[in-house]
Every structure is written in C-alpha cells, then in structure tokens.
Amino acid sequence: MDDPRLLEFEDLIRVFMESIAHLAIPDIFPWIMYILPGALTGLIFHLDLQKKNIYKFLNYFNKEIEEHRATLDRDCPRDLIDGYLMMMEEKAEDPDNTFSEKDLAILILDLFLAGSESSTITLTWMFYYLATYPEVQQKMQAEIDEVLPKGTLATLEDKLRMPYTEAVIHEILRKSSLAATGVQHVATRDTQLGGYFIPKGTIVMGAQETVHHDPRYWDRPDEFLPERWLDQQGKFTAKKEGFLPFGVGKRSCLGEALARMELFIFSTTVFQSLIFSQPPGKKIDLPYDPKVVFTHNPKIQDVLITIRPGF
Ligand code: HEM
C-alpha cells in the first residue's frame, strides 16, 4: 500500500479522472472545437493540462516497459507487457507490423482506465451500499458461510450456488450505473428509431442511468432491492431488458466477463471475513460525486471495517 510507484499511479489516475471533466462538452459536441478559435478552446477545455496528463501516464508506462525489457525471460513471459514485447521482436521485420512501444503504452493506459478504475469504483459502491444496508450484507454473508467453508476462496463454479450474492452484484451495477451515458457512438447511416430520425454522423449516447431507473422496467426503481433479481424459488434471474451496465452491441464492454468474475471473487473474499458499516455518528452519502463527469463515482468517505467474529 505504501509502494511509491503505486501511490504515484493512484495519483496520476485521480488527477486524470478529475481533469477529463473539462472535456465533457467537446466530447459530446465536438463541432464546438471547429467554431471557436483554437486558443479559446485550449483555454476553456484545459487542453494543455490533458496533454500533460497523458504524457505523464505514458512516461510512467515507458519506465515500466523498460524494466520489463531489461528483465524479460522469453521462456516465461510474466504478463501482457512481456507478451507484447516478444511479439514486437517477432514482427520487427514484417512490413505490415503495427506493434510499437508507443502503442503498448497506450494499450496499457486504455486497459487501466477502462479496466481497473471501472471494477474498483463498482466495488467501492458495493462497500458503501452494504455498509448502509447491513441486512443485505448479513444475508450475503450467510450465503457465503453456507457455500464456502471458512477460509475457502470462491471459484466461478460457486456462482450458481450463490444467487443472493449474484443478486447483490447486479443491483449494485444497476444502482451505481457507472457509465451513466455509456461511451459516444456515431450513427453509421441514416436511422429511424422510436419515431426519431437520426441522420448519419450523429453522435449517439446511451442513457444507462435513466434506463436503470425507468419504472417501465423496474418496480420501485430508486430502492436498493437485491431481491428483484430472484424468482419465487430464490433462484437468480438475469433480467436483460432495461439493464445495460456494460453497454450493448458490437462495441459493448470488452472486459465484461473479466469484470463479472472480479466482482464475484473480490466481494465473496472480502465479505467472508470483514464487516463494513457506517462509522459511529456518520451516515454514508450515496449520491454520485458531482466532481466526476464521465463516470458515476461515489464520494470518497469513511467506512468502518471490522473483522467478523471467528476470523
Ligand atoms: C464493472 C466493471 C465495468 C463496467 C461497468 C464497464 C462498462 C463499460 C461500458 C458501459 C463500456 C462502453 C460500451 C459501449 O460503448 O456501449 C465499456 C467499454 C469497454 N470496456 Fe468496460 N466496463 C467494466 C470493466 C472492464 C474491464 C475489467 C475491462 C478490461 C480489462 C474493460 C474494457 C473495456 C474496453 C476495452 C471497452 C471499449 C470497447 C469498445 O469500444 O469496443 N471494461 N465498458
């Protein structure tokens, strides 16, 4: 936790996430960049700051890549960076080669921003929600105790035997609606949708949060109710319509399977031995942090963590 490289990375992520809020307007209305003078857009949207932050990230990853290169064991690649470096060498003479160190650094940045922050924030939401709803936490812990003997870690096979835990994870994904408006897409042809004409080239964004709280799909949508995901026999039912935390279609989340696995393994491991609760005299504030624009983050706040009796 005190590793200076990790702390540096956490700081880079935090500053980056806060600074991209300035890009919300040109991201949604890109034409604004063409009608305002360049110097003005730079000033309003803090473009220099964005560039500086990206370079800081790329420098950070370049150091990591160099360290990997210096210690690379071709018989025993450790991770994606090692694998990529080996492919880079293999393709060095290929005229169609697209592998490069810059591409690798950007790939790592993409994976960290899309892959690491998203799961971390969703888990943070889970800690805050379950601290606020102790009865839900206790039910989930009772299921964990029943399925996983003390000290045993869950495997994906246990998922089927843990419908309540699955229900909690799905309800967290719905309530948090991490990517509230999804990622911008462009209509590739003229389209008619729900009575609206969408000309080719239009930027289209989802309305994930709105759909996740639409009473046409959800009974008592504002309430945190994991039970809505269970049928009368207590079996988990993966409701599909009105639920799109990972987007839909060809460009839906590439890491969905990994994210689902992470959420299941992390949450069962953590709640098996720990209790999350509101600190004495304090209430956890569940609305989204308004300072973060592109994702729905919780406000960072204190939570009391105690060890479960017997652990
Ligand atoms: C709880 C965790 C996560 C949530 C809620 C989430 C959500 C999303 C959403 C809403 C999109 C946009 C989909 C669209 O455009 O319609 C997306 C895209 C993406 N996600 Fe995730 N994600 C999560 C975890 C991950 C992980 C773990 C990875 C990879 C390690 C990942 C990699 C990506 C990538 C690469 C894209 C872009 C896909 C494309 O444009 O083709 N995500 N994610």
Side-chain angles (χ1 to χ4, degrees):
M1 294 290 270
D2 295 332
D3 179 353
R5 292 278 286 156
L6 179 66
L7 293 176
E8 183 190 349
F9 184 73
E10 276 183 355
D11 206 43
L12 280 176
I13 291 255
R14 188 187 49 77
V15 171
F16 184 79
M17 292 309 276
E18 279 175 18
S19 76
I20 54 171
H22 299 297
L23 290 182
I25 294 173
D27 223 26
I28 299 168
F29 309 109
W31 42 261
I32 214 158
M33 302 297 274
Y34 300 102
I35 57 167
L36 290 178
L40 200 58
T41 51
L43 213 63
I44 299 176
F45 304 123
H46 300 252
L47 297 186
D48 282 347
L49 181 68
Q50 316 300 335
K51 274 193 205 146
K52 220 161 76 190
N53 285 336
I54 295 274
Y55 278 117
K56 276 191 195 161
F57 259 121
L58 296 185
N59 278 338
Y60 181 93
F61 292 134
N62 283 335
K63 268 192 242 157
E64 202 67 40
I65 293 170
E66 278 324 305
E67 276 169 32
H68 271 68
R69 193 193 290 287
T71 52
L72 177 64
D73 175 358
R74 284 163 190 76
D75 294 326
C76 190
R78 289 159 294 192
D79 52 22
L80 176 91
I81 302 182
D82 279 357
Y84 193 103
L85 288 173
M86 285 163 62
M87 282 305 281
M88 233 173 106
E89 282 177 9
E90 204 178 289
K91 300 266 177 192
E93 305 300 322
D94 182 345
D96 298 325
N97 174 26
T98 55
F99 288 84
S100 70
E101 266 181 29
K102 189 174 175 200
D103 183 74
L104 174 56
I106 291 171
L107 173 69
I108 306 172
L109 177 62
D110 274 355
L111 280 184
F112 268 106
L113 290 185
S116 166
E117 273 301 280
S118 47
S119 305
T120 308
I121 297 168
T122 307
L123 279 168
T124 310
W125 276 118
M126 183 182 274
F127 299 149
Y128 290 157
Y129 264 97
L130 294 199
T132 308
Y133 293 88
E135 65 289 356
V136 172
Q137 184 176 173
Q138 279 154 18
K139 258 176 126 171
M140 186 168 141
Q141 281 165 333
E143 186 178 75
I144 294 174
D145 292 346
E146 204 183 304
V147 176
L148 304 170
K150 194 173 154 190
T152 320
L153 297 184
T155 67
L156 286 187
E157 277 150 32
D158 296 316
K159 251 188 179 191
L160 284 177
R161 296 191 290 146
M162 302 180 80
Y164 193 74
T165 303
E166 273 288 84
V168 171
I169 292 172
H170 281 69
E171 188 65 351
I172 295 287
L173 285 167
R174 181 185 77 85
K175 283 298 292 164
S176 58
S177 299
L178 179 87
T181 51
V183 170
Q184 292 84 340
H185 293 273
V186 173
T188 50
R189 55 183 161 80
D190 288 351
T191 309
Q192 198 74 36
L193 184 71
Y196 293 92
F197 174 64
I198 303 172
K200 180 179 171 179
T202 307
I203 293 192
V204 185
M205 297 172 75
Q208 194 192 92
E209 190 203 349
T210 317
V211 177
H212 284 176
H213 291 85
D214 188 329
R216 284 173 297 176
Y217 301 119
W218 309 97
D219 186 27
R220 295 190 279 160
D222 294 329
E223 291 178 38
F224 178 66
L225 282 178
E227 279 71 15
R228 69 172 83 248
W229 296 91
L230 301 174
D231 67 12
Q232 303 242 316
Q233 285 74 44
K235 265 178 60 187
F236 173 72
T237 51
K239 185 181 165 119
K240 267 291 175 202
E241 210 180 6
F243 184 61
L244 25 122
F246 298 100
V248 278
K250 267 190 194 164
R251 299 299 298 269
S252 66
C253 177
L254 199 69
E256 177 173 347
L258 177 64
R260 285 177 179 278
M261 184 191 76
E262 287 172 346
L263 294 176
F264 179 70
I265 302 286
F266 272 84
S267 58
T268 47
T269 306
V270 167
F271 285 99
Q272 187 179 42
S273 56
L274 300 176
I275 301 171
F276 285 66
S277 34
Q278 316 209 50
K282 284 192 182 172
K283 246 182 147 336
I284 286 182
D285 195 13
L286 289 173
Y288 314 113
D289 181 352
K291 278 198 282 179
V292 186
V293 173
F294 284 102
T295 50
H296 268 164
N297 293 22
K299 293 176 199 149
I300 299 301
Q301 49 204 304
D302 290 340
V303 60
L304 180 68
I305 305 175
T306 45
I307 297 175
R308 286 185 74 200
F311 276 87

